[in-house]
Amino acid sequence: MKILVATDKPFAKIAVDGIRAEVEAAGFTLALLEKYTEKRQLLEAAADADAIIIRSDIIDAEVIEAAKKLKIVVRAGAGYDNVDLEAAKKAGVCVMNTPGQNANAVAELVFGLLVFAVRNFYNGASGTELKSKKLGIHAYGNVGRNVARIAKGFGMELYAYDAFCPASIIEADGVKALDSAESLYAACDVVSLHIPATAETKKSINYALLDKMPEGAVLVNTARKEIVNEEEIVTLMETRRDFKYVTDILPGNHAEMQEKFAARYFSTPKKMGAQTSEANINAGIAAAKQIVDFIKTGNERFRVN
Ligand code: 3PG
């Protein structure tokens, strides 16, 4: 059995060593394709793979078609919008994620970005504090929960909106559950995005929603680029000179954002939220264990297609 780790953005070495140990203990072989620059390299590496571990790497119908022996793809992380679930299903390929394994890393980066934003990107000018500010957590999944835990330490007032998570679960954490995105944005000084990229959520973070936020608002995005309406955020920041946007996912219009809003906008050059040794170890080893278990016992826990 060949288990391929295909990561454009590589895991820390310690995580790769851990994945290798799991795979070899099961009697399987590990193949590593890191920092690849062309899809052709992925197609070639996948051709004889029985299982693939990926991060944000694109597994489309062409990759699935090329991987004739493929049985399972595990996205070492939370979001699986980079995998063609239907093509996989048609080909009899199981797709899983590793929910929660990198959530703390992403949540910590939310605060790294927020402190940077409210202190004016460390330019020396007087900024503001997070303490007593109202934080809106848009979707209360694993990352949202970790954001709430950390925000308590900053002394923030916590609100959340999640279309699927029951209010009782949110409120059990001492977070006020609101019943619409509109009411969350209207109430909160800072909103942190944690919704997945789906047909329903794409471009849903738009002018109308963001303009509800109070004076001095900050939006932080460690989720997905696709959920933000990029044209409308430009219009909003042109009219709302108090508004700041910090993101861990390089927008399609980064050059324009940088040029127009240098003092109120920041993006990491490459998504860094889950890029810690701990998150790499947690998600990478969970992925390896899920593959071994699936192949040896047929366990389909965490299947998403
Ligand atoms: C996720 O969905 O798990 C995060 O966005 C992290 O993605 P990455 O593994 O590409 O860093």
Side-chain angles (χ1 to χ4, degrees), residues 124-196:
S126 188
T128 58
E129 299 179 19
L130 294 176
K131 188 178 178 192
S132 300
K133 296 291 183 306
K134 295 184 168 73
L135 172 65
I137 303 171
H138 192 169
Y140 206 69
N142 290 306
V143 182
R145 266 180 206 118
N146 277 279
V147 166
R149 174 180 54 77
I150 298 168
K152 285 177 193 164
F154 276 93
M156 300 185 84
E157 255 184 64
L158 303 183
Y159 297 80
Y161 167 66
D162 189 307
F164 306 100
C165 180
S168 56
I169 291 186
I170 296 173
E171 302 226 324
D173 287 351
V175 177
K176 175 106 189 81
L178 297 178
D179 58 8
S180 68
E182 286 72 18
S183 55
L184 186 79
Y185 285 70
C188 294
D189 304 297
V190 177
V191 169
S192 187
L193 297 172
H194 303 293
I195 52 175

Side-chain angles (χ1 to χ4, degrees), residues 9 55-56 75-79 102 223-224 271 274:
K9 183 174 59 187
R55 296 185 64 178
S56 291
R75 193 284 189 239
N102 59 19
R224 286 292 178 274
K271 191 161 56 130

Side-chain angles (χ1 to χ4, degrees), residues 116-132:
F116 190 43
V118 297
R119 295 303 183 99
N120 296 312
F121 307 100
Y122 305 152
N123 71 355
S126 188
T128 58
E129 299 179 19
L130 294 176
K131 188 178 178 192
S132 300

Side-chain angles (χ1 to χ4, degrees), residues 246-276:
V246 280
T247 177
D248 186 34
I249 312 100
L250 199 71
N253 59 353
H254 169 70
E256 181 187 12
M257 294 286 284
Q258 180 117 304
E259 196 196 313
K260 289 189 169 157
F261 314 118
R264 294 183 286 131
Y265 160 80
F266 172 78
S267 176
T268 55
K270 196 154 195 169
K271 191 161 56 130
M272 292 302 295
Q275 200 58 325
T276 64

Side-chain angles (χ1 to χ4, degrees), residues 215-234:
E215 172 82 23
V218 184
L219 178 70
V220 55
N221 184 4
T222 55
R224 286 292 178 274
K225 142 191 191 316
E226 293 81 2
I227 61 180
V228 173
N229 185 319
E230 295 181 342
E231 297 79 43
E232 293 192 14
I233 205 166
V234 171

